[in-house]
Amino acid sequence: MMVDGRNVHVDGYPNGNFVGPTLFADVTADMTIYREEIFGPVLCVVSVETLDEAIAFINANPNGNGTSIFTNSGWVARRFETDIDVGQIGINVPIPVPVAYFSFTGSRGSKLGDLGPNGKQAIAFWTQTKTVTARWFEPENVSSGINSTISL
């Protein structure tokens, strides 16, 4: 664990149960932190050698809530958003949570029940949707190459 969010104390709430920012590095597919869906200020960092390996790794997870990629390559970003089987995808944004008028778009084990909590998805609940949130930079503000970082 790179950043330990345990034992957080918040002024004014002495009996609270809080988790601070937590960062797990070198996460592998057999770890509980990767297999089970968790929420909160927790990030798992996975290292892979290729884009194909990253896509396969993400798609093999039983859940499909969200994932992000950081890249300056439009080709890598487009391939990632097309081939990843999750409901919420971030491109150059750390958390792929859409604004309130989008429905929750988790897939596989991340979508329990038959309705999204809001938006048009509440009516068309048989539709498999995917939300992509992207941020691009002007060419002079990015480095060359197609190095990419994926967060899960």
Side-chain angles (χ1 to χ4, degrees):
M1 184 178 324
M2 294 179 69
V3 177
D4 190 343
R6 295 177 289 186
N7 302 316
V8 172
H9 303 283
V10 177
D11 291 339
Y13 298 93
N15 298 319
N17 185 14
F18 300 98
V19 176
T22 304
L23 182 61
F24 288 87
D26 301 319
V27 172
T28 61
D30 61 330
M31 293 176 147
T32 301
I33 191 71
Y34 183 72
R35 288 190 326 266
E36 295 183 8
E37 192 167 50
I38 59 169
F39 294 92
V42 179
L43 180 66
C44 294
V45 178
V46 176
S47 297
V48 295
E49 294 293 322
T50 68
L51 180 60
D52 288 335
E53 186 181 346
I55 291 168
F57 188 89
I58 293 166
N59 287 343
N61 188 288
N63 301 299
N65 187 359
T67 187
S68 293
I69 185 171
F70 291 84
T71 181
N72 57 10
S73 168
W75 182 89
V76 168
R78 181 69 172 153
R79 170 109 191 279
F80 188 79
E81 76 179 63
T82 301
D83 292 354
I84 292 295
D85 182 19
V86 301
Q88 300 175 102
I89 296 174
I91 298 174
N92 296 329
V93 294
I95 302 173
V97 177
V99 292
Y101 54 82
F102 290 138
S103 64
F104 173 76
T105 52
S107 63
R108 299 188 318 255
S110 293
K111 184 172 183 169
L112 301 176
D114 58 358
L115 299 176
N118 53 13
K120 292 180 181 180
Q121 196 66 12
I123 296 169
F125 62 86
W126 292 112
T127 303
Q128 176 66 35
T129 60
K130 184 184 285 189
T131 302
V132 176
T133 306
R135 179 178 177 209
W136 293 103
F137 303 93
E138 294 180 31
E140 61 269 12
N141 294 331
V142 296
S143 60
S144 61
I146 58 168
N147 295 325
S148 301
T149 304
I150 300 166
S151 69
L152 305 171

